[in-house]
Amino acid sequence: MSNSKLNILTKGFFKENPTLILVLGCCPTLAVTTSVTNALGMGAATTFVLLMSNMLISALKNVIPDKVRIPSYIVIIATFVSMIDLLIQGFLPSLSASLGVFIPLIVVNCIVLGRAEAFANKNTVFDSLLDGLGMGIGFTIALTLIGAIREILGSGSIMGFQFIPAEYHILIFVLAPGAFLVFGFVMAAVRFIVNKNEEKKKQKAAKRCIKPLPV
Amino acid sequence: MEYILMIIGAVLVNNIILVQFLGICPFLGVSSKVNTALGMGAAVTFVMALATLVTSLLQKYVLVPLDITFLQTIVFILVIASLVQMVEIMLKKVSPSLYRALGVFLPLITTNCAVLGVAINVTQQTIIPGHGFSVIDNTLYAVAIAIGFTLAITIFAGLREQLELVEIPKGMKGVPIALITAGILAMAFMGFANLV
């Protein structure tokens, strides 16, 4: 895999993380991160939809007329969302019960439509596949990170495995306010780290530029 | 009496933003000024009531009798998207002043998950115990939910206006501090739990 292809895949992980940097798809991030299991399930479902819709939209980009492209994208995305919804209902009923209305709501997740509009309708099928996969993994990383913090603090367990006794649980973290607080602090921390890295790179680049210039 | 309880429940106890986590994007995006927040609230109320009315009718008279409820997601999102377009075109003709006030917000509402979320939610639960699936109840519930949305987004916009004047650490600026403010607001709304 060449460097540019690898870059398409990995840019969604941290540098352009859809949730923590671009602030897209906040509703599922807040709602389903009460436990790591839920977060992973939601991440996997969204990654599937992103991957499939990105591929199909990129394959059809010359067929769909420009004027009706948004409704067409919505129909394509909704088809894949219905598929994954029925699959989860059939094979993982407990996950379906805990994610509830948020599985059909992947349709209006801004990440999916955003990638279709910003990436898939301009690039090749393979590039769109990598982009969808990368963004999906980035979304899953963010969800799992927030889910892990909330589950450890709020119910003293990870993936359902309990290791902190019940009297030390901080209940607020599995309730609604905890979602906002943890999301806010995680986003601040990630932005701080990413900004610092960018600054370092800039300084290095600046040093390299200054040397050959005859002053 | 049961309608009053339903409205209090929808506005305060199960507030759509702070308890159900639907419609967070406009909550964070258009809440920098109180006036804009009120405009967004009005637009959402209008669209949400209309969308729930139409989707409830479709659910009752088309999807359930024909046994094609698995098409619910596709049908509902298409109805909402075309409804928003239609409302925009009609408002432009009928009431240009209202269009100028709401116009900017209307296209944003198509991808507002609150509208689709409420439309799907009302098909899965009975709004008032003992009434069964009633289109009128569903529409009233949607209006009450939208009032809750307007309330939350307006309070939040007021808080953010004050936040402009405060010195904030660099990494916290913008969305992170807004989320933490929302967390504290959600704590305040937790006081309404078990009210109904």
Side-chain angles (χ1 to χ4, degrees), chain A residues 177 180-181, chain B residues 18 159 177-190:
Chain A
F180 286 108
L181 292 178
Chain B
L18 298 168
L159 289 175
I177 195 72
L179 280 168
I180 290 161
T181 315
I184 296 166
L185 191 58
M187 262 182 228
F189 267 74
M190 266 177 74

Side-chain angles (χ1 to χ4, degrees), chain A residues 190-203:
Chain A
V190 169
R191 284 188 171 190
F192 183 73
I193 294 166
V194 169
N195 279 347
K196 214 162 206 187
N197 276 350
E198 298 278 295
E199 264 171 31
K200 257 186 203 161
K201 263 184 207 162
K202 259 186 210 161
Q203 275 173 1

Side-chain angles (χ1 to χ4, degrees), chain A residues 23 26-27 30-31 74-75 78-79 82 101-102 104-105 107-108 110 113 172 175-177 179-181 183-185 187-188 191 199, chain B residues 17-18 20-25 28 73-74 77-78 110-111 113 116-117 120 170-173 175-176 179-180 182-183 186-187 190:
Chain A
V23 205
C26 301
C27 303
L30 291 166
I74 290 178
V75 174
T79 313
S82 301
V101 75
F102 285 95
L105 284 183
V107 181
V108 280
C110 346
L113 196 61
I172 193 104
L175 298 174
F180 286 108
L181 292 178
F183 189 19
F185 281 119
M187 190 189 278
R191 284 188 171 190
E199 264 171 31
Chain B
I17 293 176
L18 298 168
Q20 296 186 41
F21 300 123
L22 292 169
I24 304 287
C25 292
L28 294 174
T73 315
I74 300 178
I77 187 68
L78 280 178
T110 318
T111 51
C113 51
L116 182 65
I120 294 177
K170 207 176 157 197
M172 281 283 195
K173 261 183 195 146
V175 182
L179 280 168
I180 290 161
M187 262 182 228
M190 266 177 74

Side-chain angles (χ1 to χ4, degrees), chain A residues 113-181:
Chain A
L113 196 61
R115 288 332 281 176
E117 177 74 9
F119 197 91
N121 71 351
K122 296 187 198 91
N123 290 285
T124 60
V125 176
F126 185 64
D127 283 357
S128 307
L129 180 151
L130 289 178
D131 179 72
L133 190 65
M135 285 290 160
I137 292 173
F139 182 63
T140 314
I141 291 174
L143 283 191
T144 315
L145 190 63
I146 296 167
I149 295 173
R150 286 182 71 189
E151 198 181 348
I152 291 170
L153 292 176
S155 37
S157 60
I158 196 142
M159 302 279 283
F161 172 73
Q162 190 108 16
F163 61 93
I164 297 177
E167 57 263 37
Y168 297 111
H169 294 174
I170 313 166
L171 191 61
I172 193 104
F173 281 103
V174 285
L175 298 174
F180 286 108
L181 292 178

Side-chain angles (χ1 to χ4, degrees), chain B residues 24 29 93-94 133 136:
Chain B
I24 304 287
K93 278 268 172 220
V94 178
F133 190 86
I136 297 166

Side-chain angles (χ1 to χ4, degrees), chain B residues 6-195:
Chain B
M6 182 272 280
I7 289 169
I8 292 174
V11 174
L12 296 175
V13 182
N14 288 316
N15 187 285
I16 184 153
I17 293 176
L18 298 168
V19 180
Q20 296 186 41
F21 300 123
L22 292 169
I24 304 287
C25 292
F27 181 63
L28 294 174
V30 286
S31 60
S32 47
K33 286 205 178 76
V34 172
N35 285 339
T36 353
L38 279 172
M40 187 68 190
V44 166
T45 312
F46 192 55
V47 172
M48 202 182 270
L50 208 59
T52 311
L53 177 69
V54 176
T55 51
S56 292
L57 283 171
L58 273 175
Q59 172 83 6
K60 194 171 181 183
Y61 295 108
V62 180
L63 294 180
V64 172
L66 294 177
D67 202 21
I68 47 169
T69 44
F70 60 88
L71 287 178
Q72 196 188 46
T73 315
I74 300 178
V75 171
F76 280 17
I77 187 68
L78 280 178
V79 165
I80 291 169
S82 42
L83 209 65
V84 172
Q85 285 281 313
M86 208 182 73
V87 168
E88 202 182 339
I89 294 166
M90 272 170 62
L91 268 186
K92 219 181 205 169
K93 278 268 172 220
V94 178
S95 164
S97 60
L98 192 63
Y99 175 75
R100 265 197 300 279
L102 300 184
V104 213
F105 305 112
L106 282 171
L108 288 175
I109 295 175
T110 318
T111 51
N112 180 346
C113 51
V115 179
L116 182 65
V118 170
I120 294 177
N121 251 338
V122 293
T123 64
Q124 288 174 346
Q125 62 188 34
T126 43
I127 302 306
I128 291 167
H131 274 210
F133 190 86
S134 149
V135 176
I136 297 166
D137 286 359
N138 289 351
T139 313
L140 279 175
Y141 176 76
V143 173
I145 282 281
I147 292 170
F149 178 88
T150 315
L151 180 72
I153 200 172
T154 313
I155 295 175
F156 190 57
L159 289 175
R160 278 186 96 170
E161 279 186 359
Q162 299 292 315
L163 218 57
E164 291 278 299
L165 309 170
V166 185
E167 209 163 299
I168 300 161
K170 207 176 157 197
M172 281 283 195
K173 261 183 195 146
V175 182
I177 195 72
L179 280 168
I180 290 161
T181 315
I184 296 166
L185 191 58
M187 262 182 228
F189 267 74
M190 266 177 74
F192 293 118
N194 302 325
L195 190 69

